[in-house]
Amino acid sequence: FLLFSPDVPGDHSAVWASRKSDIISTVEFNHTGELLATGDKGGRVVIFQREQESKNQVHRRGEYNVYSTFQSHEPEFDYLKSLEIEEKINKIRWLPQQNAAYFLLSTNDKTVKLWKVSERDKRPEGYNLKDEEGRLRDPATITTLRVPVLRPMDLMVEATPRRVFANAHTYHINSISVNSDYETYMSADDLRINLWNFEITNQSFNIVDIKPANMEELTEVITAAEFHPHHCNTFVYSSSKGTIRLCDMRASALCDRHTKFFEEPEDPSNRSFFSEIISSISDVKFSHSGRYIMTRDYLTVKVWDLNMENRPIETYQRARIQDHLRNTLCYLIPDHGLNNRMLFNINNIKIVIMTGSYNNFFRMFDRNTKRDVTLEASRENSKPRAILKPRKVCVGGKRRKDEISVDSLDFSKKILHTAWHPSENIIAVAATNNLYIFQDKVN
Protein backbone atom coordinates (compact mmCIF):
# COMPACT_ATOMS: atom_id res chain seq x y z
CA PHE A 1 0.00 0.00 0.00
CA LEU A 2 2.89 2.40 -0.67
CA LEU A 3 1.37 5.03 -2.91
CA PHE A 4 2.42 8.36 -4.34
CA SER A 5 0.70 11.26 -6.03
CA PRO A 6 1.87 11.99 -9.58
CA ASP A 7 2.80 15.54 -10.39
CA VAL A 8 0.19 17.48 -12.34
CA PRO A 9 1.29 20.61 -14.24
CA GLY A 10 0.30 23.71 -12.35
CA ASP A 11 -0.72 21.91 -9.16
CA HIS A 12 1.18 19.41 -7.04
CA SER A 13 -1.89 17.69 -5.57
CA ALA A 14 -3.74 16.73 -8.75
CA VAL A 15 -6.46 19.24 -7.97
CA TRP A 16 -9.15 19.92 -10.53
CA ALA A 17 -11.36 23.02 -10.12
CA SER A 18 -12.38 25.08 -7.13
CA ARG A 19 -16.04 26.02 -7.37
CA LYS A 20 -19.01 24.24 -5.87
CA SER A 21 -20.18 23.12 -9.32
CA ASP A 22 -16.81 21.40 -9.74
CA ILE A 23 -17.41 18.96 -6.89
CA ILE A 24 -16.67 15.54 -8.39
CA SER A 25 -19.69 13.23 -8.42
CA THR A 26 -18.28 10.17 -10.23
CA VAL A 27 -14.92 8.68 -11.29
CA GLU A 28 -14.38 5.88 -13.83
CA PHE A 29 -11.42 4.33 -15.69
CA ASN A 30 -12.00 2.96 -19.16
CA HIS A 31 -11.37 -0.74 -19.90
CA THR A 32 -7.68 -0.25 -20.73
CA GLY A 33 -6.97 2.28 -17.99
CA GLU A 34 -5.50 4.74 -20.47
CA LEU A 35 -8.36 7.18 -19.86
CA LEU A 36 -9.96 8.36 -16.63
CA ALA A 37 -13.30 10.19 -16.70
CA THR A 38 -14.76 12.35 -13.94
CA GLY A 39 -18.19 13.95 -13.77
CA ASP A 40 -19.09 16.88 -11.55
CA LYS A 41 -22.10 18.70 -10.14
CA GLY A 42 -21.90 21.25 -12.94
CA GLY A 43 -22.76 18.61 -15.56
CA ARG A 44 -19.26 18.51 -17.01
CA VAL A 45 -17.20 15.47 -17.95
CA VAL A 46 -13.42 15.77 -17.75
CA ILE A 47 -11.34 13.01 -19.36
CA PHE A 48 -7.71 12.49 -18.36
CA GLN A 49 -5.29 10.58 -20.58
CA ARG A 50 -2.29 8.65 -19.33
CA GLU A 51 1.11 9.85 -20.45
CA GLN A 52 3.06 7.61 -22.80
CA GLU A 53 6.07 5.87 -21.30
CA SER A 54 9.38 7.68 -21.65
CA LYS A 55 12.70 5.84 -21.81
CA ASN A 56 14.34 8.55 -19.75
CA GLN A 57 11.54 8.88 -17.18
CA VAL A 58 9.85 5.53 -16.69
CA HIS A 59 8.36 6.65 -13.38
CA ARG A 60 6.27 9.27 -15.19
CA ARG A 61 4.20 6.53 -16.85
CA GLY A 62 1.44 6.83 -14.28
CA GLU A 63 0.71 10.50 -14.85
CA TYR A 64 -2.63 11.62 -16.25
CA ASN A 65 -3.21 14.93 -18.01
CA VAL A 66 -6.43 16.56 -19.21
CA TYR A 67 -7.48 15.04 -22.54
CA SER A 68 -10.96 16.47 -23.12
CA THR A 69 -13.58 18.51 -21.29
CA PHE A 70 -17.19 18.85 -22.39
CA GLN A 71 -20.58 19.79 -21.01
CA SER A 72 -22.61 16.60 -20.78
CA HIS A 73 -25.84 17.81 -19.13
CA GLU A 74 -27.52 21.17 -18.65
CA PRO A 75 -29.95 22.21 -15.90
CA GLU A 76 -33.56 21.59 -16.91
CA PHE A 77 -37.02 22.26 -15.53
CA ASP A 78 -39.96 19.85 -15.43
CA TYR A 79 -42.93 22.13 -15.97
CA LEU A 80 -45.50 19.39 -15.35
CA LYS A 81 -44.15 18.71 -11.86
CA SER A 82 -42.59 22.14 -11.24
CA LEU A 83 -39.26 20.52 -10.41
CA GLU A 84 -35.74 21.51 -11.30
CA ILE A 85 -33.60 18.77 -12.84
CA GLU A 86 -30.00 19.11 -11.77
CA GLU A 87 -27.19 18.80 -14.29
CA LYS A 88 -25.04 16.79 -11.84
CA ILE A 89 -23.46 13.68 -13.38
CA ASN A 90 -24.52 10.69 -11.28
CA LYS A 91 -22.67 7.94 -13.16
CA ILE A 92 -20.23 7.39 -16.03
CA ARG A 93 -19.74 4.04 -17.72
CA TRP A 94 -17.26 3.32 -20.52
CA LEU A 95 -17.95 1.00 -23.44
CA PRO A 96 -15.15 -1.26 -24.74
CA GLN A 97 -13.19 0.43 -27.50
CA GLN A 98 -14.01 -0.96 -30.96
CA ASN A 99 -12.15 1.54 -33.16
CA ALA A 100 -10.15 4.73 -32.84
CA ALA A 101 -13.00 6.50 -31.04
CA TYR A 102 -14.10 6.11 -27.42
CA PHE A 103 -17.69 5.79 -26.20
CA LEU A 104 -19.10 6.43 -22.75
CA LEU A 105 -22.47 6.72 -21.03
CA SER A 106 -23.21 9.60 -18.66
CA THR A 107 -26.39 10.26 -16.71
CA ASN A 108 -27.93 12.86 -14.48
CA ASP A 109 -31.18 12.30 -12.55
CA LYS A 110 -33.36 11.81 -15.63
CA THR A 111 -31.44 11.47 -18.89
CA VAL A 112 -28.72 9.08 -20.10
CA LYS A 113 -26.46 10.16 -22.96
CA LEU A 114 -24.07 8.18 -25.15
CA TRP A 115 -20.99 10.21 -26.08
CA LYS A 116 -18.39 9.64 -28.77
CA VAL A 117 -14.91 11.00 -28.06
CA SER A 118 -12.63 11.11 -31.10
CA GLU A 119 -9.45 12.80 -32.32
CA ARG A 120 -9.02 14.93 -35.45
CA ASP A 121 -5.65 16.07 -36.77
CA LYS A 122 -6.60 16.80 -40.41
CA ARG A 123 -9.12 19.13 -41.98
CA PRO A 124 -10.53 19.17 -45.53
CA GLU A 125 -9.80 22.21 -47.68
CA GLY A 126 -10.73 23.29 -51.20
CA TYR A 127 -14.45 22.50 -51.33
CA ASN A 128 -15.93 22.97 -54.80
CA LEU A 129 -19.34 24.24 -53.68
CA LYS A 130 -18.19 26.30 -50.67
CA ASP A 131 -15.72 29.12 -50.16
CA GLU A 132 -12.95 29.14 -47.56
CA GLU A 133 -15.36 30.40 -44.88
CA GLY A 134 -17.85 27.59 -45.51
CA ARG A 135 -20.47 29.64 -47.35
CA LEU A 136 -22.15 28.19 -50.45
CA ARG A 137 -20.84 29.53 -53.74
CA ASP A 138 -23.08 30.81 -56.51
CA PRO A 139 -23.53 27.81 -58.87
CA ALA A 140 -23.10 30.14 -61.86
CA THR A 141 -19.54 30.93 -60.80
CA ILE A 142 -18.46 27.27 -60.58
CA THR A 143 -16.73 26.35 -63.82
CA THR A 144 -14.19 23.73 -62.77
CA LEU A 145 -14.18 20.63 -60.62
CA ARG A 146 -12.13 20.76 -57.44
CA VAL A 147 -11.58 17.80 -55.14
CA PRO A 148 -11.09 18.67 -51.43
CA VAL A 149 -7.74 17.72 -49.89
CA LEU A 150 -6.86 16.92 -46.26
CA ARG A 151 -4.41 19.27 -44.57
CA PRO A 152 -2.62 18.62 -41.25
CA MET A 153 -3.89 20.60 -38.26
CA ASP A 154 -3.33 20.73 -34.52
CA LEU A 155 -4.78 17.70 -32.73
CA MET A 156 -8.34 18.37 -31.60
CA VAL A 157 -10.43 16.09 -29.38
CA GLU A 158 -14.14 16.19 -30.13
CA ALA A 159 -16.96 14.94 -27.92
CA THR A 160 -20.29 14.49 -29.69
CA PRO A 161 -23.57 13.08 -28.32
CA ARG A 162 -24.59 10.03 -30.37
CA ARG A 163 -27.71 8.96 -28.44
CA VAL A 164 -30.00 10.57 -25.84
CA PHE A 165 -32.09 8.20 -23.72
CA ALA A 166 -34.76 10.29 -21.99
CA ASN A 167 -38.32 10.31 -20.62
CA ALA A 168 -38.18 6.85 -19.05
CA HIS A 169 -37.64 7.60 -15.35
CA THR A 170 -40.05 9.25 -12.94
CA TYR A 171 -37.54 9.13 -10.11
CA HIS A 172 -33.84 9.93 -9.91
CA ILE A 173 -31.45 7.59 -11.73
CA ASN A 174 -28.91 6.14 -9.29
CA SER A 175 -27.20 3.49 -11.45
CA ILE A 176 -26.36 2.57 -15.02
CA SER A 177 -24.68 -0.69 -16.00
CA VAL A 178 -23.50 -1.92 -19.40
CA ASN A 179 -24.38 -5.52 -20.20
CA SER A 180 -21.71 -8.05 -21.16
CA ASP A 181 -23.33 -8.39 -24.60
CA TYR A 182 -22.46 -4.69 -25.20
CA GLU A 183 -25.79 -4.29 -26.99
CA THR A 184 -27.89 -3.31 -23.99
CA TYR A 185 -27.56 -1.48 -20.70
CA MET A 186 -29.85 -0.82 -17.75
CA SER A 187 -30.69 2.29 -15.78
CA ALA A 188 -32.14 2.16 -12.27
CA ASP A 189 -34.02 4.70 -10.21
CA ASP A 190 -35.65 4.43 -6.77
CA LEU A 191 -38.50 2.16 -7.88
CA ARG A 192 -37.80 0.88 -11.40
CA ILE A 193 -35.05 -0.62 -13.54
CA ASN A 194 -35.21 -0.20 -17.31
CA LEU A 195 -33.39 -2.15 -20.02
CA TRP A 196 -32.21 -0.20 -23.08
CA ASN A 197 -30.82 -1.11 -26.47
CA PHE A 198 -28.00 1.19 -27.57
CA GLU A 199 -29.64 1.65 -30.99
CA ILE A 200 -33.13 2.53 -29.68
CA THR A 201 -33.65 5.79 -27.80
CA ASN A 202 -37.42 6.22 -27.81
CA GLN A 203 -38.35 3.14 -25.78
CA SER A 204 -37.03 0.93 -23.01
CA PHE A 205 -38.18 -2.27 -21.37
CA ASN A 206 -39.13 -2.23 -17.70
CA ILE A 207 -37.53 -5.27 -16.03
CA VAL A 208 -38.07 -4.38 -12.34
CA ASP A 209 -40.93 -2.39 -10.81
CA ILE A 210 -41.33 -2.30 -7.02
CA LYS A 211 -43.73 0.66 -6.93
CA PRO A 212 -46.76 -0.30 -4.79
CA ALA A 213 -50.30 0.56 -5.84
CA ASN A 214 -50.53 2.76 -2.75
CA MET A 215 -47.36 4.79 -2.19
CA GLU A 216 -48.12 4.91 1.54
CA GLU A 217 -47.25 1.19 1.61
CA LEU A 218 -43.76 1.83 0.23
CA THR A 219 -41.17 0.24 2.55
CA GLU A 220 -37.96 0.23 0.50
CA VAL A 221 -36.34 1.74 -2.59
CA ILE A 222 -33.71 0.56 -5.07
CA THR A 223 -30.28 1.99 -4.27
CA ALA A 224 -27.95 0.38 -6.85
CA ALA A 225 -27.96 -2.17 -9.69
CA GLU A 226 -25.35 -3.95 -11.81
CA PHE A 227 -25.16 -6.58 -14.52
CA HIS A 228 -23.19 -9.80 -14.05
CA PRO A 229 -19.74 -9.41 -15.68
CA HIS A 230 -20.11 -12.55 -17.83
CA HIS A 231 -23.78 -13.65 -17.97
CA CYS A 232 -25.90 -11.17 -19.92
CA ASN A 233 -29.14 -12.52 -18.44
CA THR A 234 -28.22 -11.96 -14.78
CA PHE A 235 -28.19 -8.79 -12.73
CA VAL A 236 -28.36 -7.76 -9.09
CA TYR A 237 -29.90 -4.82 -7.27
CA SER A 238 -29.78 -3.62 -3.67
CA SER A 239 -32.33 -1.87 -1.49
CA SER A 240 -32.54 0.63 1.34
CA LYS A 241 -33.45 -2.21 3.73
CA GLY A 242 -30.03 -3.83 3.31
CA THR A 243 -31.21 -6.62 1.02
CA ILE A 244 -29.79 -7.83 -2.30
CA ARG A 245 -31.80 -9.51 -5.06
CA LEU A 246 -30.31 -11.57 -7.87
CA CYS A 247 -32.54 -11.72 -10.95
CA ASP A 248 -32.51 -13.82 -14.13
CA MET A 249 -34.15 -12.26 -17.18
CA ARG A 250 -34.70 -15.73 -18.66
CA ALA A 251 -37.20 -16.54 -15.90
CA SER A 252 -39.74 -13.86 -16.85
CA ALA A 253 -40.04 -10.62 -18.75
CA LEU A 254 -40.70 -8.64 -15.57
CA CYS A 255 -38.28 -9.72 -12.86
CA ASP A 256 -40.73 -9.10 -10.02
CA ARG A 257 -39.64 -12.43 -8.52
CA HIS A 258 -35.98 -12.70 -7.68
CA THR A 259 -33.88 -15.81 -8.21
CA LYS A 260 -31.90 -15.34 -5.00
CA PHE A 261 -32.38 -13.11 -1.98
CA PHE A 262 -29.43 -12.09 0.21
CA GLU A 263 -30.05 -10.71 3.69
CA GLU A 264 -28.15 -10.87 6.95
CA PRO A 265 -30.27 -11.31 10.10
CA GLU A 266 -29.99 -8.30 12.38
CA ASP A 267 -28.34 -8.68 15.76
CA PRO A 268 -30.98 -7.56 18.32
CA SER A 269 -28.28 -6.24 20.63
CA ASN A 270 -27.15 -3.74 17.99
CA ARG A 271 -30.62 -2.50 17.08
CA SER A 272 -31.16 1.22 17.48
CA PHE A 273 -33.25 4.10 16.15
CA PHE A 274 -30.82 4.40 13.21
CA SER A 275 -30.64 0.68 12.35
CA GLU A 276 -32.69 0.96 9.16
CA ILE A 277 -30.76 4.02 8.01
CA ILE A 278 -27.26 2.59 8.45
CA SER A 279 -28.24 -0.78 6.95
CA SER A 280 -29.20 0.82 3.62
CA ILE A 281 -26.85 -0.38 0.87
CA SER A 282 -25.30 2.47 -1.09
CA ASP A 283 -23.39 0.40 -3.66
CA VAL A 284 -23.31 -3.15 -5.01
CA LYS A 285 -20.79 -4.80 -7.33
CA PHE A 286 -19.94 -8.21 -8.70
CA SER A 287 -16.42 -9.51 -8.28
CA HIS A 288 -14.50 -9.75 -11.55
CA SER A 289 -15.02 -13.52 -11.58
CA GLY A 290 -18.75 -13.10 -11.02
CA ARG A 291 -18.70 -15.53 -8.08
CA TYR A 292 -19.12 -12.94 -5.32
CA ILE A 293 -21.18 -9.84 -4.62
CA MET A 294 -19.74 -6.90 -2.69
CA THR A 295 -21.98 -4.39 -0.92
CA ARG A 296 -21.36 -1.15 0.92
CA ASP A 297 -23.55 0.22 3.71
CA TYR A 298 -22.87 3.05 6.14
CA LEU A 299 -20.56 1.16 8.50
CA THR A 300 -19.33 -1.90 6.60
CA VAL A 301 -18.28 -3.53 3.34
CA LYS A 302 -19.62 -7.07 2.94
CA VAL A 303 -18.71 -9.92 0.60
CA TRP A 304 -21.46 -12.39 -0.34
CA ASP A 305 -21.06 -15.76 -2.00
CA LEU A 306 -23.67 -16.37 -4.70
CA ASN A 307 -24.25 -19.81 -3.21
CA MET A 308 -24.97 -18.57 0.33
CA GLU A 309 -27.86 -16.20 0.86
CA ASN A 310 -28.30 -16.10 4.64
CA ARG A 311 -25.14 -14.19 5.61
CA PRO A 312 -22.01 -12.63 4.07
CA ILE A 313 -18.79 -14.62 4.07
CA GLU A 314 -16.72 -11.54 4.96
CA THR A 315 -17.46 -8.25 6.71
CA TYR A 316 -15.05 -5.32 6.84
CA GLN A 317 -15.53 -2.32 9.12
CA ARG A 318 -15.37 0.92 7.19
CA ALA A 319 -13.23 2.55 9.86
CA ARG A 320 -11.80 1.94 13.32
CA ILE A 321 -14.23 4.45 14.78
CA GLN A 322 -17.44 2.44 14.52
CA ASP A 323 -18.52 2.98 18.11
CA HIS A 324 -17.80 6.69 17.81
CA LEU A 325 -19.85 6.91 14.60
CA ARG A 326 -22.74 5.10 16.23
CA ASN A 327 -22.65 7.50 19.18
CA THR A 328 -22.58 10.58 16.95
CA LEU A 329 -25.27 9.56 14.44
CA CYS A 330 -27.75 12.00 15.97
CA TYR A 331 -25.32 14.81 15.09
CA LEU A 332 -24.11 13.49 11.74
CA ILE A 333 -27.56 13.09 10.22
CA PRO A 334 -28.82 16.70 10.57
CA ASP A 335 -25.39 18.25 9.93
CA HIS A 336 -24.01 16.11 7.09
CA GLY A 337 -26.71 13.57 6.29
CA LEU A 338 -26.39 9.86 5.60
CA ASN A 339 -27.70 10.20 2.06
CA ASN A 340 -24.17 10.68 0.73
CA ARG A 341 -23.58 7.55 -1.32
CA MET A 342 -20.19 6.31 -0.12
CA LEU A 343 -19.13 3.88 -2.82
CA PHE A 344 -16.33 1.36 -3.15
CA ASN A 345 -14.15 -0.28 -5.79
CA ILE A 346 -12.36 -3.58 -6.35
CA ASN A 347 -8.84 -4.26 -7.58
CA ASN A 348 -8.66 -6.47 -10.67
CA ILE A 349 -5.16 -7.79 -9.90
CA LYS A 350 -5.29 -8.64 -6.22
CA ILE A 351 -8.40 -9.22 -4.14
CA VAL A 352 -8.41 -5.78 -2.53
CA ILE A 353 -11.44 -3.61 -1.75
CA MET A 354 -11.20 0.18 -1.48
CA THR A 355 -13.82 2.48 0.01
CA GLY A 356 -14.07 6.04 1.30
CA SER A 357 -14.65 7.49 4.73
CA TYR A 358 -14.75 10.79 6.61
CA ASN A 359 -11.87 13.26 7.06
CA ASN A 360 -10.75 12.49 3.49
CA PHE A 361 -9.69 9.01 4.63
CA PHE A 362 -10.03 5.96 2.40
CA ARG A 363 -9.64 2.35 3.42
CA MET A 364 -8.21 -0.73 1.71
CA PHE A 365 -8.97 -4.32 2.69
CA ASP A 366 -6.87 -7.24 1.43
CA ARG A 367 -9.12 -10.30 1.32
CA ASN A 368 -6.19 -12.73 1.17
CA THR A 369 -4.07 -11.47 4.06
CA LYS A 370 -7.00 -9.88 5.97
CA ARG A 371 -4.84 -6.78 6.36
CA ASP A 372 -6.30 -3.30 6.13
CA VAL A 373 -4.90 0.19 5.96
CA THR A 374 -6.29 3.72 6.28
CA LEU A 375 -4.84 6.43 4.02
CA GLU A 376 -5.57 10.11 3.60
CA ALA A 377 -6.06 12.14 0.42
CA SER A 378 -5.08 15.73 1.16
CA ARG A 379 -2.84 18.41 -0.27
CA GLU A 380 -0.65 18.49 2.81
CA ASN A 381 0.06 14.75 2.78
CA SER A 382 0.21 14.18 -0.99
CA LYS A 383 3.30 15.88 -2.31
CA PRO A 384 4.63 14.58 -5.66
CA ARG A 385 6.13 11.09 -5.29
CA ALA A 386 5.78 11.19 -1.52
CA ILE A 387 4.89 7.92 0.16
CA LEU A 388 1.50 7.93 1.85
CA LYS A 389 1.74 6.92 5.48
CA PRO A 390 -1.02 4.88 7.10
CA ARG A 391 -3.31 6.94 9.31
CA LYS A 392 -4.48 5.75 12.72
CA VAL A 393 -7.33 7.14 14.76
CA CYS A 394 -7.23 7.20 18.55
CA VAL A 395 -10.72 6.50 19.91
CA GLY A 396 -9.92 6.70 23.62
CA GLY A 397 -7.07 6.73 26.08
CA LYS A 398 -3.65 8.22 25.53
CA ARG A 399 -2.98 9.34 21.97
CA ARG A 400 0.30 8.38 20.33
CA LYS A 401 2.39 10.76 18.28
CA ASP A 402 1.33 9.35 14.89
CA GLU A 403 -2.36 9.01 15.80
CA ILE A 404 -5.27 11.35 15.16
CA SER A 405 -7.81 12.06 17.86
CA VAL A 406 -11.32 11.01 16.87
CA ASP A 407 -12.61 14.36 18.13
CA SER A 408 -10.48 16.22 15.57
CA LEU A 409 -11.94 14.40 12.54
CA ASP A 410 -13.68 16.61 9.99
CA PHE A 411 -16.94 14.90 9.06
CA SER A 412 -17.66 17.48 6.34
CA LYS A 413 -14.75 16.06 4.31
CA LYS A 414 -15.76 12.79 2.68
CA ILE A 415 -14.30 10.43 0.10
CA LEU A 416 -17.40 9.40 -1.85
CA HIS A 417 -15.93 8.22 -5.16
CA THR A 418 -12.93 6.05 -5.98
CA ALA A 419 -11.74 4.10 -9.03
CA TRP A 420 -9.13 1.40 -9.59
CA HIS A 421 -7.10 0.93 -12.76
CA PRO A 422 -8.27 -2.30 -14.46
CA SER A 423 -4.80 -3.87 -14.74
CA GLU A 424 -2.36 -1.87 -12.59
CA ASN A 425 -2.14 -0.62 -9.03
CA ILE A 426 -3.22 2.91 -9.84
CA ILE A 427 -6.15 4.50 -8.04
CA ALA A 428 -8.14 7.70 -8.43
CA VAL A 429 -9.71 9.25 -5.34
CA ALA A 430 -12.18 12.15 -5.44
CA ALA A 431 -12.33 14.42 -2.39
CA THR A 432 -14.97 17.13 -2.97
CA ASN A 433 -13.52 19.11 -5.93
CA ASN A 434 -10.05 17.57 -5.75
CA LEU A 435 -8.91 14.55 -7.76
CA TYR A 436 -5.93 12.58 -6.44
CA ILE A 437 -4.16 9.90 -8.46
CA PHE A 438 -1.89 7.47 -6.64
CA GLN A 439 0.08 4.45 -7.77
CA ASP A 440 2.41 1.80 -6.34
CA LYS A 441 5.79 2.97 -5.26
CA VAL A 442 8.20 2.81 -8.21
CA ASN A 443 11.72 1.61 -7.42
Side-chain angles (χ1 to χ4, degrees):
F1 298 115
L2 297 178
L3 308 172
F4 76 90
S5 174
D7 190 8
V8 171
D11 198 328
H12 291 297
S13 60
V15 177
W16 177 257
S18 59
R19 301 188 304 271
K20 184 178 179 180
S21 61
D22 296 320
I23 293 177
I24 298 173
S25 54
T26 184
V27 182
E28 189 78 11
F29 280 100
N30 73 338
H31 289 73
T32 64
E34 294 301 307
L35 298 180
L36 170 66
T38 66
D40 61 27
K41 286 191 172 182
R44 290 179 298 274
V45 173
V46 181
I47 301 177
F48 298 85
Q49 185 181 47
R50 193 178 186 187
E51 287 294 311
Q52 296 298 318
E53 185 172 355
S54 172
K55 294 182 179 179
N56 298 327
Q57 295 176 311
V58 180
H59 64 277
R60 297 181 65 89
R61 178 72 173 104
E63 294 188 5
Y64 285 79
N65 292 322
V66 175
Y67 177 66
S68 177
T69 303
F70 59 92
Q71 189 72 29
S72 175
H73 288 71
E74 299 283 354
E76 301 177 33
F77 190 81
D78 188 336
Y79 291 95
L80 293 178
K81 298 182 179 180
S82 296
L83 292 175
E84 292 184 359
I85 302 175
E86 291 186 355
E87 65 272 33
K88 185 188 80 167
I89 306 299
N90 292 338
K91 290 287 183 182
I92 289 175
R93 290 290 181 265
W94 290 90
L95 276 66
Q97 188 177 5
Q98 304 293 335
N99 48 42
Y102 302 96
F103 290 87
L104 61 86
L105 288 172
S106 64
T107 182
N108 65 348
D109 289 339
K110 299 293 183 180
T111 304
V112 183
K113 294 183 179 181
L114 175 65
W115 289 88
K116 176 183 179 182
V117 181
S118 57
E119 297 180 353
R120 186 153 62 94
D121 59 358
K122 295 182 177 61
R123 66 171 180 268
E125 292 182 355
Y127 282 104
N128 198 41
L129 301 179
K130 296 180 181 179
D131 59 20
E132 298 300 328
E133 296 181 0
R135 294 173 298 192
L136 290 175
R137 297 175 184 269
D138 183 357
T141 63
I142 302 175
T143 58
T144 59
L145 176 65
R146 287 196 303 170
V147 178
V149 295
L150 294 176
R151 303 290 187 189
M153 59 175 286
D154 293 336
L155 178 65
M156 183 171 61
V157 181
E158 296 179 318
T160 54
R162 299 303 302 270
R163 306 278 191 279
V164 178
F165 306 89
N167 305 319
H169 285 277
T170 305
Y171 307 97
H172 293 175
I173 298 174
N174 55 52
S175 302
I176 52 175
S177 180
V178 179
N179 202 345
S180 59
D181 61 10
Y182 303 126
E183 295 181 1
T184 58
Y185 76 93
M186 68 178 175
S187 56
D189 63 26
D190 292 343
L191 298 179
R192 295 186 177 95
I193 299 177
N194 294 330
L195 182 68
W196 300 83
N197 187 293
F198 280 111
E199 302 299 326
I200 303 173
T201 61
N202 59 355
Q203 63 179 357
S204 61
F205 191 80
N206 182 224
I207 54 177
V208 172
D209 189 348
I210 65 170
K211 183 179 180 181
N214 183 3
M215 285 295 287
E216 293 182 357
E217 300 175 358
L218 181 66
T219 59
E220 62 180 337
V221 296
I222 299 169
T223 56
E226 183 174 84
F227 269 117
H228 191 281
H230 310 302
H231 304 312
C232 61
N233 55 281
T234 307
F235 67 94
V236 66
Y237 70 92
S238 58
S239 80
S240 57
K241 294 182 72 173
T243 60
I244 309 108
R245 292 172 173 84
L246 182 73
C247 300
D248 190 338
M249 291 188 290
R250 296 173 300 183
S252 62
L254 181 63
C255 299
D256 51 354
R257 294 184 180 181
H258 46 266
T259 304
K260 292 190 176 183
F261 182 78
F262 302 86
E263 182 179 24
E264 183 179 19
E266 183 182 10
D267 185 354
S269 62
N270 290 332
R271 182 161 183 81
S272 68
F273 177 78
F274 302 105
S275 293
E276 291 188 6
I277 299 177
I278 63 178
S279 65
S280 176
I281 295 175
S282 60
D283 198 11
V284 61
K285 283 184 173 64
F286 278 100
S287 65
H288 297 287
S289 65
R291 169 67 185 275
Y292 304 100
I293 298 173
M294 281 76 164
T295 61
R296 169 75 157 88
D297 56 39
Y298 181 66
L299 294 176
T300 62
V301 174
K302 297 177 181 177
V303 181
W304 301 78
D305 191 318
L306 288 183
N307 296 325
M308 189 166 68
E309 303 173 47
N310 60 340
R311 61 182 176 86
I313 59 173
E314 298 169 19
T315 300
Y316 300 95
Q317 301 297 327
R318 198 200 69 197
R320 297 189 183 279
I321 53 174
Q322 301 308 306
D323 293 336
H324 179 81
L325 287 178
R326 290 181 184 275
N327 296 334
T328 57
L329 283 175
C330 55
Y331 304 105
L332 286 175
I333 292 178
D335 290 344
H336 309 295
L338 291 182
N339 58 347
N340 294 293
R341 292 168 54 82
M342 289 188 175
L343 312 181
F344 71 99
N345 223 290
I346 311 164
N347 190 348
N348 199 16
I349 311 168
K350 301 177 182 178
I351 309 177
V352 181
I353 301 173
M354 172 174 59
T355 189
S357 186
Y358 290 112
N359 203 67
N360 281 356
F361 287 169
F362 59 97
R363 299 262 288 158
M364 291 185 176
F365 310 97
D366 191 318
R367 293 185 58 206
N368 283 333
T369 64
K370 305 303 178 185
R371 293 173 55 199
D372 61 80
V373 66
T374 301
L375 301 170
E376 182 181 5
S378 66
R379 300 191 187 191
E380 295 77 14
N381 301 324
S382 303
K383 295 181 180 180
R385 301 191 232 306
I387 297 176
L388 286 186
K389 296 181 180 179
R391 310 293 282 175
K392 296 181 181 180
V393 179
C394 176
V395 179
K398 188 176 181 180
R399 182 171 65 89
R400 296 181 181 179
K401 182 179 180 181
D402 59 342
E403 291 182 337
I404 302 173
S405 172
V406 70
D407 297 322
S408 64
L409 297 179
D410 189 347
F411 290 97
S412 64
K413 296 180 179 179
K414 299 179 286 288
I415 299 292
L416 300 180
H417 308 283
T418 62
W420 212 310
H421 191 286
S423 58
E424 298 182 34
N425 279 328
I426 298 176
I427 60 173
V429 178
T432 57
N433 54 359
N434 299 333
L435 176 66
Y436 300 88
I437 301 176
F438 306 100
Q439 79 171 47
D440 263 344
K441 180 181 178 183
V442 178
N443 295 323

